[in-house]
Amino acid sequence: MFITRTRIAVATVAAGALLFAAGCGDDSDSTSGTDHGTSSTTAGATSAARTDFDNADVTFLQMMYPHHAQAVEMAKLVPSHSQNPQLLALAAEVEKAQAPEMEQISSLLQSFGKPAPTAGGGHEGHGMPGMMSAEQMSALQAASGAEFDRMWLEMMIQHHAGAIDMAETELADGVNPDTQALARSVIAAQEAEIATMRTMLGQN
C-alpha cells in the first residue's frame, strides 16, 4: 500500500511538472505565434508595421502627387506647342524628374497603410500652392509659339514655388525620414529650375 501511494505521488508530481512545462511552452508559442503573425503581416502589408510618420507626412505626399501630375501634364504640352529648344529640354527634365518621384510617393503612402494616390487626389487643386486652375490649363493649351513659351514659364515658376512651399512645410512638421528626404530633393531641384526659367524669361 505504501509503495502504491508513493508511485501515485511520484506520478502526480511528474504530471504536474509536465503540465507546467507545457504551460510555459504554450506561453512561448503564443508569443512566438504573435511575432510570426506580425512578421507575416509585415511581409504581406508593410503598412501595418510602419509607424514612423505623422499627418504632415501623409498630407504632403497626398498633395504632392497630384501637384507633380499637373507639372508632368504641362511638360507634355511643350513638344506640340513650342519650338524653343531650351523649353523642350527643360520640359523633358521636368517630366524625367517628377514621374519617378510620383512612384516614390505612391510607395511611401502604401507603406503607411494609405490608399495609392491618384492624379486628382480628391483635392482638385484646392489648398495646394501653385496648382493651375482648369481655366489656366485651357488657356495654356490654346496658346502656341512665343506666347505659349512665356505662359508656360510663368505658370511653371508659380507651380514650382508652390511645391517648394509644401516641401518646406513638410520639413517643419513631418517626421518620416524618407518623406523629408523627398521634400529636400524637391526644394533643391525646383529652386534650380526656377532660376533657369527666370533666366529664360529674361531672354524672351
Side-chain angles (χ1 to χ4, degrees):
M1 187 64 146
F2 175 76
I3 294 172
T4 301
R5 287 177 179 173
T6 301
R7 286 177 179 170
I8 290 171
V10 169
T12 301
V13 171
L18 285 172
L19 286 171
F20 177 78
C24 291
D26 287 342
D27 289 342
S28 174
D29 290 345
S30 176
T31 302
S32 175
T34 301
D35 291 341
H36 289 326
T38 302
S39 298
S40 175
T41 302
T42 301
T46 307
S47 59
R50 187 150 199 183
T51 58
D52 60 337
F53 65 93
D54 63 10
N55 289 336
D57 296 314
V58 174
T59 298
F60 170 72
L61 294 171
Q62 287 177 335
M63 294 175 73
M64 189 57 72
Y65 189 93
H67 204 274
H68 271 21
Q70 189 178 71
V72 170
E73 181 184 354
M74 291 170 66
K76 287 182 175 179
L77 289 175
V78 174
S80 59
H81 289 72
S82 175
Q83 295 181 340
N84 184 328
Q86 283 182 291
L87 191 60
L88 289 165
L90 177 60
E93 287 178 13
V94 168
E95 186 173 354
K96 183 179 178 181
Q98 299 202 23
E101 285 183 352
M102 290 172 68
E103 294 180 9
Q104 183 183 357
I105 289 168
S106 181
S107 296
L108 280 169
L109 281 171
Q110 289 177 328
S111 78
F112 296 164
K114 305 299 178 183
T118 61
H123 296 280
E124 298 178 352
H126 299 305
M128 285 185 280
M131 283 288 280
M132 299 298 110
S133 66
E135 291 76 17
Q136 286 174 304
M137 290 298 291
S138 294
L140 184 63
Q141 290 172 347
S144 61
E147 181 189 9
F148 173 87
D149 296 351
R150 178 189 56 77
M151 287 180 64
W152 192 95
L153 290 168
E154 289 175 349
M155 290 168 68
M156 191 60 82
I157 287 172
Q158 179 184 340
H159 201 272
H160 276 19
I164 291 169
D165 285 346
M166 291 161 59
E168 288 175 342
T169 298
E170 160 60 21
L171 292 179
D173 300 337
V175 298
N176 180 260
D178 294 327
T179 306
Q180 293 212 321
L182 174 62
R184 284 189 290 271
S185 177
V186 166
I187 291 170
Q190 301 204 12
E191 281 183 343
E193 288 177 354
I194 285 175
T196 298
M197 289 187 285
R198 284 178 176 159
T199 300
M200 290 171 67
L201 276 173
Q203 292 174 347
N204 287 345

